[in-house]
Amino acid sequence: MTELVRKPADTYSPLYFLASLGAGGVAVSFFMYLMFWVPHPDQAVPVFEDIAGAFATGGLPMQIAIAVAVAGIAVFAVLNVKSLIWNLRAYSAFKRTEAYTKLRNSNAESTLLAMPLALAMTVNVGFVVGLVFVPQLWTIVEYLFPAAMVAFLLIGVLAFRLLADFLGRVLAEGGVFDVTAHNSFAQLLPAFALSMVAVGFAAPAAMSVTPVTVGTSLVLSTFFGVTAAVYAVIASITAFNSMLQYGTAREAGPTLMVVVPIMTVLGIMLMRQEHGLHATFDAAGNGGETLVMLARILTVQLVFLGLGMLVLLRQRYFDDFVIGTKTSPGSYALVCPAVALSVMGHFFINKGLVDAGVVDKFSLAFWVLTAVALAFQAVAVALVLRLNRQHFTPTEAAAVPAE
């Protein structure tokens, strides 16, 4: 009798929402080409008309860049939504299992925050898709901003409800949180989710011309952003203490680099807030201040990237869970730092070095530095494609249970 062939993803974990998140992040990384290479003098971001005009009048390099960006956004936006729908269906079925009940009574309950994290990313991706593919979108954008903020508020409420269930259980009852299993940065996932909501709330601050909209955006994005930062600091300190005692949990090794995407998301939130303060409330900053802020963010990211890679290489994580035959849903967390460093690289170069006058736009130095950002993006693309094939292609090999 032939053994039934199955997919590793048949063993469901909420961490599979990171597959949707990763695809969405890659889609946003392609938007950086348009954001910083296509002129858009009439608004803070490029829209369909700017992109079409640049393609019609630009040289061959510009046309290639736009074609690659548009294709990349389209492909990975579809992947993002397709993965999100699959996850929502699988999660609905998972809630009726004994494994779900067990998860809700363990440290892994915090992995449920991967759902609002992915939902917030998909809303952000939807806005990017609208900017790139919908003509005349900017004529109705002031009506879309309140709708977007309502969507992010609902996602934020969902995140807080899930977080309240988790913290209420572990803080009120006592003795139910396994400190020996806290030896990773997995508990920073709630901070990541809240920061993604915060950056979504900050978008109208950078793009709207209505003071009430901008003000509301500034206040709500600050609330979620500060909450995310506070939670991240507390969770990272307690987790690091556990890691020093018990070592890093091997399957959760990629979470050591979750600080990287959190810093990118909060950094973009600060950039959007700064633009809104300048454009709407005349609170002017300067290129030098922005350069230093972005340099500090990038420094923190590189420190945690180095820490994470050190541990993953020592534990030979890639040999088993990326290149090898073993599978773990947590491996999708590897996509996030690659995307985050690519996006932050573009911001550091264009909003930091170029705006401060350190590097000339489109100079040799500009392209050398941009090549580094593009390299991180290539890693993210390769990881998404590899992990999707590894987890969603039928195989006789069983998946390693997710923690």
Side-chain angles (χ1 to χ4, degrees), residues 100-352:
Y100 175 77
T101 303
K102 182 179 177 181
L103 181 142
R104 291 301 297 257
N105 290 282
S106 69
N107 290 17
E109 184 178 6
S110 61
T111 62
L112 296 177
L113 272 294
M115 178 171 58
L117 172 60
L119 289 171
M121 172 58 85
T122 299
V123 176
N124 285 316
V125 170
F127 199 78
V128 166
V129 169
L131 292 174
V132 175
F133 294 103
V134 180
Q136 301 297 316
L137 181 72
W138 209 253
T139 60
I140 60 168
V141 75
E142 291 296 339
Y143 300 100
L144 296 179
F145 289 141
M149 287 195 287
V150 169
F152 281 114
L153 182 60
L154 293 174
I155 295 171
V157 169
L158 172 62
F160 274 122
R161 286 184 61 185
L162 293 171
L163 187 56
D165 288 343
F166 173 62
L167 291 180
R169 179 175 63 83
V170 301
L171 295 179
E173 297 178 20
V176 297
F177 186 81
D178 186 358
V179 179
T180 63
H182 187 33
N183 53 338
S184 72
F185 278 173
Q187 295 301 327
L188 268 69
L189 189 59
F192 194 4
L194 294 175
S195 65
M196 189 63 70
V197 174
V199 76
F201 266 123
M207 304 177 203
S208 178
V209 295
T210 305
V212 172
T213 301
V214 174
T216 304
S217 170
L218 288 170
V219 172
L220 291 175
S221 61
T222 298
F223 173 77
F224 280 94
V226 170
T227 303
V230 171
Y231 194 96
V233 170
I234 295 172
S236 60
I237 291 174
T238 56
F240 203 76
N241 180 60
S242 183
M243 284 188 285
L244 289 175
Q245 294 186 58
Y246 306 107
T248 303
R250 189 164 185 256
E251 270 198 73
T255 64
L256 291 176
M257 296 183 286
V258 74
V259 173
V260 178
I262 290 175
M263 293 300 294
T264 287
V265 171
L266 292 179
I268 294 173
M269 179 199 76
L270 292 173
M271 292 288 295
R272 288 174 168 178
Q273 289 181 335
E274 182 182 89
H275 188 276
L277 288 169
H278 169 66
T280 306
F281 301 111
D282 296 323
N286 61 66
E289 291 176 349
T290 302
L291 172 61
V292 172
M293 179 191 75
L294 293 174
R296 289 169 178 165
I297 291 173
L298 195 57
T299 299
V300 174
Q301 292 179 306
L302 293 176
V303 167
F304 279 94
L305 175 69
L307 174 65
M309 290 301 297
L310 172 67
V311 174
L312 290 175
L313 292 174
R314 286 286 184 92
Q315 294 185 334
R316 302 181 69 85
Y317 181 91
F318 295 97
D319 293 349
D320 284 341
F321 298 107
V322 179
I323 302 171
T325 57
K326 293 183 179 179
T327 57
S328 171
S331 59
Y332 275 99
L334 292 170
V335 179
C336 301
V339 168
L341 284 167
S342 176
V343 171
M344 181 50 64
H346 284 290
F347 272 93
F348 177 72
I349 294 163
N350 292 275
K351 291 296 184 181

